[in-house]
Amino acid sequence: LAESKTKVIKGELVLLLGEESILTRADGKLHTRFGVLDLEKELEWGEEVKTHIGKSFRVAKPYLVDFLMKRGIKRKTQVLYPKDLSLILAYTTPPPDALIVDCGLGSGFSSMFLAHYCPQGKIVAYERDRENIKLALENIKKWGFENIEIKERDIFEGVDERDADLFILDMKGAEDAVKIAKESLKIGGWLAVCSPYVEQMMACVERMRELGFLEMKTVENLVREWDVRKFGHTLPQRWGNIHTVFITIGRRG
Ligand SMILES: C[S@@+](CC[C@H](N)C(=O)[O-])C[C@H]1O[C@@H](n2cnc3c(N)ncnc32)[C@H](O)[C@@H]1O
């Protein structure tokens, strides 16, 4: 049993860990910019594999972040990035068995991230676009999540969930859905609205105030990487995805 555990199953997702790690399926020949890798042969976790020109990689188990960020999933919509999702989780701390409503599902990125951190809970994702649902379902199945339920519906027709711990609104017109979110939340439960534009954020804040949300705050998570080089030449990176969304958080009073 111990031995079989170390073997990679054909077709399984593997992370080829190297200078530039690659997420791929353990199957066939893989052409990389560092040469060709033979993934046809039986592989073991932790094994070193080399391309035909001698570049080496380690066969590692991918983490969810590899799957989400290294082209494991297909994206058709703008997604919420881990820096924003982790901030929502840190500020709201949903329990492992939380009920979370996520709207819209989009490519499924946020739903998968939340499902990972609430393994005994349930993520109910609403989406009105059938094509997006198809793509998100493909993404979700690839990783094998079982705690995400998708409902094909325009959220303005209402949601079925009550006593939700967390409700995420990441869609155009979110300000008009704040009341629906409120009715779905438990007392003390959290609403997190993600707005790319200041005007949308302000409209949401106004609506949340009118509806009596408490402990409200609006934040932006600016993450800037640093180029740590040889002494005397270290500086922050001057490029990157700086602005993504404003996050407005509040609790149902
Ligand atoms: C920005 S994307 C969501 C991305 C998602 N949070 C992720 O991380 O992958 C917005 C999605 O909301 C959906 N949407 C917009 N308005 C909606 C509505 N009224 N009801 C249901 N879905 C809606 C859109 O079709 C789109 O797929």
Side-chain angles (χ1 to χ4, degrees):
L1 184 70
E3 199 196 25
S4 70
K5 263 191 176 166
T6 70
K7 303 254 184 269
V8 177
I9 300 167
K10 199 144 224 70
E12 205 171 347
L13 273 177
V14 292
L15 181 70
L16 301 169
L17 196 64
E19 218 174 290
E20 275 178 38
S21 302
I22 302 166
L23 182 82
T24 187
R25 296 260 174 209
D27 206 359
K29 302 256 185 244
L30 182 73
H31 292 255
T32 77
R33 68 186 195 87
F34 304 106
V36 183
L37 272 166
D38 178 13
L39 303 180
E40 197 78 69
K41 59 174 190 165
E42 193 166 73
L43 297 170
E44 285 194 358
W45 295 113
E47 179 185 341
E48 184 184 22
V49 287
K50 286 191 176 167
T51 66
H52 76 290
I53 54 166
K55 186 83 181 166
S56 85
F57 293 88
R58 284 257 179 211
V59 180
K61 280 239 185 231
Y63 284 72
L64 181 64
V65 71
D66 299 311
F67 179 63
L68 294 177
M69 301 304 284
K70 294 189 177 76
R71 299 196 197 147
I73 66 163
K74 288 190 193 136
R75 299 179 191 181
K76 230 181 83 186
T77 58
Q78 182 59 49
V79 303
L80 288 175
Y81 284 101
K83 76 171 178 76
D84 296 316
L85 287 163
S86 59
L87 187 138
I88 293 172
L89 286 180
Y91 278 30
T92 65
T93 59
D97 63 349
L99 171 62
I100 301 180
V101 183
D102 188 18
C103 188
L105 168 74
S107 312
F109 194 107
S110 51
S111 291
M112 287 190 270
F113 194 90
L114 298 163
H116 178 78
Y117 287 101
C118 299
Q120 291 110 46
K122 190 161 134 187
I123 318 302
V124 182
Y126 283 81
E127 175 58 59
R128 65 181 177 189
D129 183 313
R130 188 163 293 181
E131 287 306 307
N132 288 353
I133 292 182
K134 248 203 238 163
L135 184 99
L137 260 176
E138 235 180 77
N139 289 335
I140 290 164
K141 274 196 197 139
K142 258 196 227 166
W143 191 260
F145 283 106
E146 286 179 355
N147 55 341
I148 302 175
E149 186 184 339
I150 299 174
K151 296 194 177 174
E152 183 181 344
R153 191 187 304 169
D154 190 308
I155 197 184
F156 294 114
E157 289 167 20
V159 301
D160 307 317
E161 292 63 38
R162 290 295 174 264
D163 283 332
D165 294 285
L166 173 63
F167 201 114
I168 298 195
L169 282 173
D170 175 30
M171 51 173 259
K172 239 187 191 166
E175 60 277 20
D176 296 323
V178 170
K179 188 159 187 283
I180 288 167
K182 180 183 171 183
E183 282 160 7
S184 172
L185 284 166
K186 63 168 64 156
I187 302 296
W190 302 89
L191 170 62
V193 189
C194 303
S195 329
Y197 305 109
V198 173
E199 293 80 2
Q200 188 193 15
M201 176 269 281
M202 288 170 71
C204 290
V205 168
E206 207 178 301
R207 196 73 190 110
M208 286 171 73
R209 279 196 189 126
E210 280 167 14
L211 290 170
F213 274 87
L214 302 170
E215 295 184 26
M216 282 179 54
K217 55 167 92 61
T218 296
V219 293
E220 192 187 3
N221 195 12
L222 301 175
V223 174
R224 187 170 65 169
E225 288 189 21
W226 281 61
D227 262 341
V228 183
R229 306 176 187 192
K230 74 176 189 326
F231 190 78
H233 293 82
T234 303
L235 79 176
Q237 276 184 9
R238 281 169 276 203
W239 60 87
N241 202 353
I242 302 293
H243 175 70
T244 48
V245 286
F246 299 104
I247 301 169
T248 299
I249 290 175
R251 310 182 76 160
R252 178 177 179 175

